[in-house]
Amino acid sequence: MLFLHGGPGTPTNLLDFPFAKAWTTTFMLVQWDQRGAGKTFANGGTSAADMTIGRMTQDGIELAQYLRGHLHKDKIIIVGHSWGAILGVHMAKARPDLFYAYVGAGQVADVQENEAMIYSRLMDKVRTSGDAKAIAELQASGPPPYHLMKALTTQRIWAQAYEHADTYEAAGQASTLYAPGYSLEDLYHTIQSIRFTLDTFIGPTMSGPLMSVNLKELGPDFAIPVFVFEGPDDYITSPELARPTLIRSTPPGKSL
């Protein structure tokens, strides 16, 4: 199983290793620090010109080809989370012969439509809760389309609070100090890489290539089984958008 981390630029093996370990009783789990992220960033050679969805899709395909040979497997499973779900869909479309299945979690579809939908959903939630502080901050920063990174950050902070992910985030950040194979220097480079990657794909004025992603343009047809896991109370990615984007009908092997 090849896991494609989110962010962009946030290596999952640094944050989620205590939880991902449970998967290794069933799967050979491969965690990949993508181009511009974590240890890959620290090794140098990454430039903003190389940071494109097309190039990173090809990186993932090349890695999948290597894993087939190295692990002596005909095919592998790809699991994409959030940003990684964008790369995962592109990889599954480009080279279905390499994969048994594609699994998406926190599945991104149309970024601009998603931001509008999750902002509205979150506003409904905070208004129902009577959260005056959240209402004021979200009204001041939104609604989308955003023109500053600060506005997106505000939405994400309150989204995580209402998903109760803030507690998980705190635990994840604490776990980075004990991540296997990571030194304090690696952690320093990882923080640098997150800033670099966000500036490249989103940018301070929200004009980066991530903001124009629309997977609906690729069509809903897949040559491999597709599984998407979405939470009904997700305030960052919308299940309503993932369904029509990835699943036109419900043939065997597809579920949402």
Side-chain angles (χ1 to χ4, degrees):
M1 176 189 292
L2 173 59
F3 192 92
L4 309 176
H5 66 68
T10 307
T12 308
N13 56 348
L14 181 62
L15 297 170
D16 290 353
F17 69 91
F19 312 101
K21 185 178 180 180
W23 292 3
T24 60
T25 58
T26 304
F27 300 100
M28 172 68 72
L29 178 63
V30 178
Q31 300 266 23
W32 166 40
D33 287 12
Q34 298 163 15
R35 183 180 294 260
K39 287 190 173 184
T40 302
F41 174 84
N43 287 336
T46 298
S47 68
D50 296 325
M51 299 289 287
T52 66
I53 293 173
R55 175 62 261 183
M56 293 176 73
T57 297
Q58 186 58 34
D59 289 345
I61 290 171
E62 291 173 9
L63 176 56
Q65 292 173 314
Y66 168 78
L67 291 175
R68 290 173 71 201
H70 182 69
L71 300 175
H72 308 289
K73 301 293 183 181
D74 292 334
K75 298 180 181 182
I76 63 175
I77 298 170
I78 42 174
V79 179
H81 172 244
S82 191
W83 153 260
I86 295 173
L87 296 183
V89 168
H90 280 276
M91 289 168 60
K93 291 278 189 175
R95 290 295 306 273
D97 58 299
L98 298 177
F99 308 114
Y100 285 117
Y102 166 70
V103 182
Q107 180 67 53
V108 179
D110 181 328
V111 169
Q112 290 297 333
E113 189 175 358
N114 180 76
E115 292 301 331
M117 186 172 290
I118 61 175
Y119 176 85
S120 177
R121 173 184 290 172
L122 183 57
M123 282 298 298
D124 289 344
K125 180 68 174 181
V126 299
R127 283 174 175 146
T128 300
S129 301
D131 191 334
K133 183 179 179 181
I135 294 170
E137 291 188 8
L138 288 168
Q139 286 180 332
S141 66
Y146 302 124
H147 301 291
L148 295 173
M149 175 73 80
K150 182 179 179 181
L152 179 67
T153 301
T154 297
Q155 194 280 337
R156 295 299 190 263
I157 289 172
W158 285 110
Q160 290 180 347
Y162 274 84
E163 292 173 351
H164 304 292
D166 48 346
T167 302
Y168 163 78
E169 289 290 330
Q173 290 170 8
S175 73
T176 62
L177 298 175
Y178 307 98
Y182 270 82
S183 65
L184 289 177
E185 183 179 8
D186 292 327
L187 296 181
Y188 169 74
H189 286 302
T190 296
I191 294 170
Q192 287 186 311
S193 76
I194 292 172
R195 292 171 178 166
F196 166 73
T197 309
L198 291 177
D199 282 346
T200 302
F201 278 105
I202 298 177
T205 60
M206 310 297 292
S207 57
L210 175 57
M211 303 311 296
S212 60
V213 166
N214 182 359
L215 297 182
K216 290 185 290 186
E217 296 173 351
L218 301 179
D221 296 314
F222 285 78
I224 59 175
V226 173
F227 304 89
V228 179
F229 295 89
E230 295 283 340
D233 297 319
D234 190 334
Y235 297 111
I236 294 180
T237 53
S238 171
E240 291 87 345
L241 294 180
R243 182 181 295 275
T245 298
L246 297 183
I247 302 176
R248 182 173 57 192
S249 57
T250 54
K254 288 191 177 185
S255 65
L256 180 63

